[in-house]
Amino acid sequence: MSKRLFVVANWKMNPDSLGGATKLFSDLAVTARTARGVRVVACPPMIWLSECKRVYRGKMLALGAQDVSSHPTGAHTGEISAPMLASLGVGYVIVGHSERRAKGETLEEISAKIKQVVQTGLTAILCIGEHARDDHGEYLHVLRAQIVSALSGVTGPQLSQLIVAYEPIWAIGKTAADAMKPELMHETSLYIRKIISEKYGFDQSRLVPVLYGGSVEGSNAETLLSQGEIDGFLVGHASLSPLSFGAILKCAQASIKSRS
Ligand code: PGA
């Protein structure tokens, strides 16, 4: 567990107007000001990125993207490259979200995207997670395969540009009661770090923040942070309301104090 904490807002395909997006971004930036020491990142839909950047130039809320092309340039209609995101001032890119994997994104594409992001100097937020938990530990193989493949092109020094967001698919988009229990998260976090350390060594693996995502709300954030062996959250629906997002940030801020 590192002392740095991250709370990342994944807006998905919301809100549906430019005015709504810039208002939400500005409101989250105000909320983020109360969470000193927590790295807060908002990932609006691609089309709203530049206006969000324009309306808020402060440092308390960083800008992230929800996806990126696996190519640096060329004939790829409709795609947005990592250098384009970098030139806009985007610092973080979510890669391999389960909703993109469900649309056919392959392990190879995810690995190529991660490479693009880190080679461009941005930070990749690699999402991993199983569909279901079974009694035979098959889900552990799923997680291992997702991590090993995604990191195949990442060098040791580039690990400082990587965040892993563990998001069990069965816990996404529900309520706090359906989220993962902290003790299970603790085990899973150790397992994720073990896989990373097999390739890069123990010391390097400790540099990689491990986040949890899947129905994080103000009511479960505190126990997940204190018992889940995690370095923060990837937040979906609760990031669309400054009030609910603020409740999560409050827990993160309290947790920073107890870690130092
Ligand atoms: P949720 O989404 O917080 O709404 O469960 C998390 C995510 O899919 O990133």
Side-chain angles (χ1 to χ4, degrees), residues 55-246:
V55 295
Y56 174 73
R57 297 199 170 271
K59 294 210 178 325
M60 298 310 291
L61 183 60
L63 195 60
Q66 296 175 17
D67 191 22
V68 66
S69 174
S70 55
H71 306 279
T73 184
H76 304 286
T77 303
E79 298 203 8
I80 310 275
S81 71
M84 289 173 183
L85 293 173
S87 114
L88 204 64
V90 168
Y92 296 81
V93 185
I94 295 173
V95 177
H97 191 279
S98 59
E99 287 152 14
R100 300 226 55 83
R101 292 183 196 250
K103 287 185 164 49
E105 189 172 62
T106 63
L107 292 178
E108 292 71 26
E109 279 163 339
I110 291 166
S111 161
K113 287 180 179 189
I114 294 278
K115 237 164 124 176
Q116 280 302 313
V117 172
V118 295
Q119 279 175 2
T120 309
L122 306 179
T123 296
I125 303 169
L126 167 67
C127 295
I128 58 165
E130 76 282 358
H131 275 278
R133 289 225 159 185
D134 58 293
D135 293 336
H136 313 290
E138 193 49 44
Y139 68 93
L140 296 173
H141 296 295
V142 172
L143 296 181
R144 174 178 287 277
Q146 289 176 344
I147 297 169
V148 169
S149 155
L151 298 191
S152 59
V154 176
T155 65
Q158 287 171 337
L159 271 195
S160 60
Q161 291 161 252
L162 182 83
I163 295 172
V164 173
Y166 170 64
E167 298 206 301
I169 296 167
W170 47 267
I172 292 179
K174 299 190 174 156
T175 65
D178 307 298
M180 186 160 209
K181 298 292 168 268
E183 53 289 1
L184 283 186
M185 184 60 236
H186 190 116
E187 271 174 36
T188 311
S189 178
L190 296 181
Y191 181 67
I192 291 168
R193 286 185 198 288
K194 178 178 179 295
I195 298 167
I196 299 174
S197 70
E198 284 168 12
K199 177 168 177 188
Y200 301 96
F202 179 73
D203 290 346
Q204 291 276 71
S205 73
R206 286 168 56 90
L207 295 177
V208 180
V210 175
L211 314 186
Y212 168 75
S215 302
V216 178
E217 295 177 358
S219 56
N220 59 357
E222 196 268 324
T223 44
L224 278 161
L225 279 172
S226 59
Q227 300 165 28
E229 192 68 23
I230 50 169
D231 305 302
F233 299 118
L234 180 52
V235 183
H237 64 268
S239 71
L240 298 174
S241 143
L243 204 67
S244 350
F245 196 62

